[in-house]
Amino acid sequence: MFEQKIQAISPIILALIAGIFTWFMTALGASMVLMIKRVNQKIFDLALGFAAGVMIAASFWSLLQPAIEMSEKLNIVSWLPPAVGFILGAIFLRLFDMIIPHLHLQSPIHEAEGLKVSLRRSTLLVLAVTLHNIPEGLAIGVSFGAHALKPEDVSLISSVVLAFGIGIQNIPEGFAISIPLRAEGFSRLKSFSVGQISGIVEPIFAVVGVLMVEVMQNLLPYALGFAAGAMIFITAEELIPESQKKGNSDIATAGLIIGFTLMMILDVAFK
């Protein structure tokens, strides 16, 4: 009965609520700066690895696997739509990566990427995390939109678990942006405010994801693959390299394994 009431709600509203939840989790992580100024590098790298593991697992079980199952019902090569969508999603994020000025968390300012503009290091750091949050919002929106169109292929609980998993890994992301800001001289309150605002794009792009699915109803497997490709691009481009940059590769890898396993269990157990 409760699930039927939830399913009666517009997928746009559900995706928006899920996106706000993940934004809140980013703010929760950023709030740690109100209590501490620095975090142990090993813990920091463990958290980044954990986030990477969650992203990889979510990309497959919540997005690519449903895309493959849908494709099998279309009497076409089952791997083609998710593969094409996956590549397009990665290309889409690569274009964003080339255009939006940003700086990876543990990099010197001369390694800033994107268009060359005169921005403060703190602004570039926030733009990097904001760029990271775009595919997460898209993935949430695409999942809820896919459930509305094909509930037999994408269950409501699967979409909820995806949002929950992304929310969990947003906690370390929140403090990953707020702690460096504090170390650079920002006040605790300003570090928190700037850190949490990077998550605002998630509810926005969650709605965009639903609208994209509604426009691409006949291309749903491509849309799911697209969201997965965008997420994997960010994971490989940013999270994994950042987690291993300071020499804690074993710890970062352990975090990735833990994050992947947790997300796999959540997705499979509650599907």
Side-chain angles (χ1 to χ4, degrees), residues 85-161:
F86 188 87
I87 293 171
L88 290 177
I91 292 173
F92 173 77
L93 256 292
R94 175 55 181 157
L95 292 175
F96 264 59
D97 191 63
M98 293 170 60
I99 295 171
I100 297 178
H102 63 283
L103 179 67
H104 295 306
L105 294 174
Q106 304 185 79
S107 301
I109 193 165
H110 68 268
E111 293 183 4
E113 300 178 10
L115 296 177
K116 301 303 179 183
V117 293
S118 298
L119 294 175
R120 296 177 61 181
R121 174 181 170 84
S122 57
T123 303
L124 292 169
L125 287 171
V126 172
L127 286 172
V129 178
T130 302
L131 176 65
H132 181 170
N133 288 335
I134 289 174
E136 295 177 7
L138 279 175
I140 291 170
V142 168
S143 182
F144 277 99
H147 166 71
L149 292 175
K150 299 284 186 179
E152 68 278 10
D153 293 314
V154 181
S155 67
L156 177 61
I157 192 65
S158 176
S159 299
V160 171
V161 167

Side-chain angles (χ1 to χ4, degrees), residues 163-177:
F164 180 71
I166 289 176
I168 289 175
Q169 63 93 37
N170 274 1
I171 295 176
E173 281 185 12
F175 77 73
I177 182 62

Side-chain angles (χ1 to χ4, degrees), residues 4 59 68 72-73 126 165-166 176 184 198 226 240:
Q4 290 178 339
S59 296
I68 293 169
E72 290 173 346
K73 300 175 182 178
V126 172
I166 289 176
E184 291 192 15
S198 64
F226 182 94
I240 294 176

